[in-house]
Amino acid sequence: MKKWSNKSIAFISIFVSITVIMLIISVRIFPPSILPTFKYSVVGLPVKLTGFIFGPIVGFLTGVLSDLITFMFVPSLYSIFYTFYLGVTGFIPGIFFWIFIKQGKKFFANASIIKRHEDKIEVLQAQLISENDETKRKMIEQKISLLQTKIKKTEALKYNKHWLNFSWITNSIIIFIVVVCIATTIYFIPDEIIKKNKFINKKLYGILLVVFGSTSMIIFLLFARFFKFFIRNEMYLRMAPIVAFSALHEPLGNIIIAFGDVQSGVLDSFETSLISHFLTSPIKIWINLSVIYLTSSIIIPMVNNKSFYSY
């Protein structure tokens, strides 16, 4: 297990402090932000950023501590589901960073692919030396030649093509699954609940809104994948996981926070709370993308000695 450096501990403390300060300031400026709907939109961003930078465990702990500490300084409605929600808010970004940045680099980066091919060539060359059968020697030589060709093709690539495709396809699939799940959930919510909503009082409108917002993310990932502005400097490799984890976090988080709304007495109906959170999800996802991407691009190299791809 990797030990935390003093710098990492300091940054984690800073982010917890930022979370508390952001809530205190927002309540001073806009008192209704003490309500859970506004509160967790405010404090959620630094928690997500912490998870994305330092990993899922640290993200989860930061979320839990942030909720408890903010409650001490700014008492409001409380539910254990709210605390768990902020924990999940920090956990999911860390998982996505680990999968798509750390493991993505390990398995799909050009340098990693070339290294694996070179290792295979070394093994085959050792077999070739000890092999006396001429037919088997030719087969081994063909395999070596094929691997050398693959190395040359990979070296000729200007960008991490395989890593980009892995990130693009996998994240798009995740978003698509999320869209289907949300649309299905809205479809099965009783019409009486939908009609109580002040903004969207028809089920079809709610489904169209969610589908439009989520589909725009898939289109963005597709467009950005083949646009040089996004793939240069590996910008796309950072943006795609942020879009996808935001898309996944929203429905999961909305379910948790809806239980909290009912338990704390904010709303009487779980379905009403859930649909109200669902409708604002697309907006929050795009805010997450802009804020987390820009902030992480500055802070992660500072934490990891100018390297973006590790925590």
Side-chain angles (χ1 to χ4, degrees):
M1 182 177 178
K2 182 180 177 180
K3 293 183 178 179
W4 294 352
S5 65
N6 292 335
K7 184 188 291 185
S8 298
I9 295 172
F11 270 102
I12 294 169
S13 302
I14 289 170
F15 275 109
V16 174
S17 302
I18 289 173
T19 303
V20 178
I21 293 170
M22 283 179 64
L23 180 62
I24 293 174
I25 293 174
S26 65
V27 170
R28 294 285 185 180
I29 297 174
F30 184 62
S33 62
I34 197 172
L35 296 174
T37 302
F38 299 101
K39 174 182 176 180
Y40 293 104
S41 297
V42 173
V43 302
L45 279 172
V47 173
K48 290 174 185 175
L49 187 58
T50 306
F52 194 63
I53 294 174
F54 296 101
I57 304 301
V58 175
F60 183 85
L61 293 175
T62 302
V64 171
L65 290 174
S66 296
D67 188 57
L68 297 176
I69 294 173
T70 53
F71 183 76
M72 290 172 58
F73 284 93
V74 188
S76 60
L77 296 170
Y78 179 77
S79 168
I80 188 65
F81 288 105
Y82 291 152
T83 303
F84 182 61
Y85 166 80
L86 268 191
V88 171
T89 297
F91 182 81
I92 292 177
I95 290 293
F96 272 72
F97 187 93
W98 183 81
I99 293 174
F100 291 101
I101 303 297
K102 293 197 70 178
Q103 300 304 310
K105 179 183 180 181
K106 180 179 179 181
F107 290 102
F108 298 102
N110 290 345
S112 300
I113 293 172
I114 291 171
K115 180 65 168 60
R116 286 199 300 273
H117 290 334
E118 289 175 343
D119 291 342
K120 290 179 182 178
I121 289 174
E122 287 184 8
V123 173
L124 290 171
Q125 286 175 338
Q127 293 177 0
L128 186 63
I129 294 172
S130 60
E131 184 60 60
N132 295 320
D133 187 282
E134 191 63 29
T135 303
K136 291 183 178 180
R137 285 179 63 87
K138 287 183 178 180
M139 291 177 62
I140 294 173
E141 288 173 350
Q142 289 176 353
K143 290 180 180 179
I144 292 174
S145 177
L146 179 61
L147 288 171
Q148 289 173 338
T149 302
K150 289 182 178 180
I151 289 175
K152 290 179 180 179
K153 288 182 178 180
T154 305
E155 288 175 338
L157 295 174
K158 293 182 179 180
Y159 306 106
N160 286 293
K161 178 182 177 181
H162 302 288
W163 193 0
L164 286 166
N165 288 338
F166 164 70
S167 186
W168 164 45
I169 294 171
T170 308
N171 284 308
S172 296
I173 291 172
I174 290 172
I175 295 173
F176 176 77
I177 293 173
V178 169
V179 172
V180 173
C181 291
I182 294 177
T184 304
T185 301
I186 295 176
Y187 178 79
F188 284 105
I189 291 177
D191 292 333
E192 296 76 20
I193 301 296
I194 300 291
K195 290 178 181 179
K196 292 180 181 179
N197 191 278
K198 296 180 180 179
F199 303 101
I200 303 294
N201 54 13
K202 288 189 177 181
K203 190 178 294 185
L204 177 61
Y205 296 159
I207 293 175
L208 289 176
L209 178 63
V210 171
V211 170
F212 173 77
S214 302
T215 303
S216 66
M217 301 170 211
I218 297 177
I219 295 173
F220 169 76
L221 291 181
L222 174 61
F223 171 78
R225 166 61 185 88
F226 299 99
F227 195 66
K228 288 185 178 180
F229 175 78
F230 292 103
I231 61 177
R232 68 182 181 184
N233 299 323
E234 299 178 338
M235 182 188 298
Y236 185 88
L237 295 174
R238 310 175 204 177
M239 297 178 70
I242 296 174
V243 175
F245 85 62
S246 298
L248 178 63
H249 168 266
E250 284 304 316
L252 293 178
N254 290 341
I255 292 171
I256 297 170
I257 205 168
F259 278 114
D261 288 343
V262 174
Q263 187 183 69
S264 63
V266 175
L267 292 171
D268 296 330
S269 170
F270 170 80
E271 291 83 359
T272 302
S273 175
L274 185 63
I275 195 68
S276 64
H277 288 297
F278 270 160
L279 296 177
T280 58
S281 292
I283 298 173
K284 289 188 284 186
I285 289 172
W286 288 113
I287 293 174
N288 287 338
L289 172 60
S290 57
V291 174
I292 295 175
Y293 172 77
L294 293 173
T295 311
S296 63
S297 297
I298 297 171
I299 295 177
I300 290 180
M302 293 171 59
V303 175
N304 297 312
N305 298 320
K306 299 183 180 180
S307 173
F308 188 93
Y309 301 106
S310 63
Y311 51 66

